[in-house]
Amino acid sequence: MDRLLNVLTVTSGLLLLLVLVSVRRAHIRVEYSVSWLLAAAALLVLSRSRGMLEAAAHKLGLSYPPLVLLIVIGGVFLLMFYRFSVILSKLRDDNIALAQRLAILEYHLQSLREGRRNA
Amino acid sequence: MSPGKDSLLIIVPAYNEEGAVGGVVRSIRAVMAGTPVLVIDDCSIDATQEVARHAGARVLPLPHHLGLGGCVQAGYKLAFELGYQYVIRVDGDGQHDAGDIPRMFEALRTSGCEMVIGSRFVGENGWRAGVIRALGIRFFRMVLRPILGKPVRDPTSGFVGVNRAALQVFSKSFPLEYPEIEALVVLQRKRFRFQEIPCKMHPRRTGRSSITAYRSIYYIVHVLLGVFVNVLKFDQRTRRPGKPENP
């Protein structure tokens, strides 16, 4: 159990570091880094709080406390995937509307040019 | 293009249709002389735009590939902005017969329906669907019957005409992938009416259908989900007073 918790501590530390570096290099926008940072911090705290894990496992009826951590990770990632799906859908809608608007504006511009040429 | 009363725009969505789109535009212009034809080029990588222009069409070039729904909606948006009263969509692959356009236009103007569908299954036109396609169409007829409150013979037809009221709705809300079936449900949400008229259907002039055997499964799931979501959006407040629901 200790070895698994140690691995999770290192993993969450690396995740924190990776996200912070990505934000600093502008690979991830700040608003999208918040979920990752919160998830990594929660993972770090839980993996170092044996008492909290054991209490939570007892409440959930789990005999193996690190399972609580895995359930938390799964839940957090599901929520994040959902959030990203919402963001992606909005981006796609905006992208289509922008492409259509651009095409229509180009069409109007072309018509104006032709009108001027014919005048 | 300066639209007036009873103004009609014919839109032709096209993606890599250089082999067919010229003939489509010419056949439309032969039947509907003086009616503007707008080819919406969904970012083709061939000479679709040049061929369409050469045949006498105006071209609305999309900056990147949007898929059929996004492409058709761009045409609807432009037509609405320019003030057209009616729009008829003819596919760029040459399967629709331009000779049917005058009857469709007449039905649009006189029937009071917001949408007119060129149907392959009303009357006898000699067109036979493949087994899988025929089963799919039959399935969607059954699904749509209770939703629309009346039977629709050809729910997957891309040969459709709409009036300005439908144009306004579609400018704001139009399904982006495989739009034909979902568009019917969008119209029903607004308590709009449709009519089917018999139309001829030709084999494709060039190219292949985008709906392959594998994609047909995705198509069915996608369209079913789209229909379901649109049914969830049904809103009684959009019912128009004094207008029959389904004549």
Side-chain angles (χ1 to χ4, degrees), chain B residues 199-230:
Chain B
C199 281
K200 291 190 206 83
M201 180 91 172
H202 302 296
R204 277 181 153 274
R205 290 184 188 175
T206 57
R208 284 164 47 187
S209 169
S210 60
I211 302 176
T212 58
Y214 170 73
R215 279 204 168 192
S216 60
I217 297 166
Y218 174 73
Y219 175 92
I220 289 172
V221 174
H222 187 289
V223 173
L224 269 181
L225 191 60
V227 168
F228 178 66
V229 168
N230 273 292

Side-chain angles (χ1 to χ4, degrees), chain A residues 32-67:
Chain A
Y32 300 128
S33 70
V34 175
S35 325
W36 285 111
L37 291 173
L38 282 177
L43 197 61
L44 190 64
V45 170
L46 278 173
S47 64
R48 290 292 89 198
S49 318
R50 212 187 167 98
M52 267 171 71
L53 270 186
E54 281 170 354
H58 181 68
K59 286 238 179 218
L60 292 170
L62 298 172
S63 56
Y64 188 55
L67 270 180

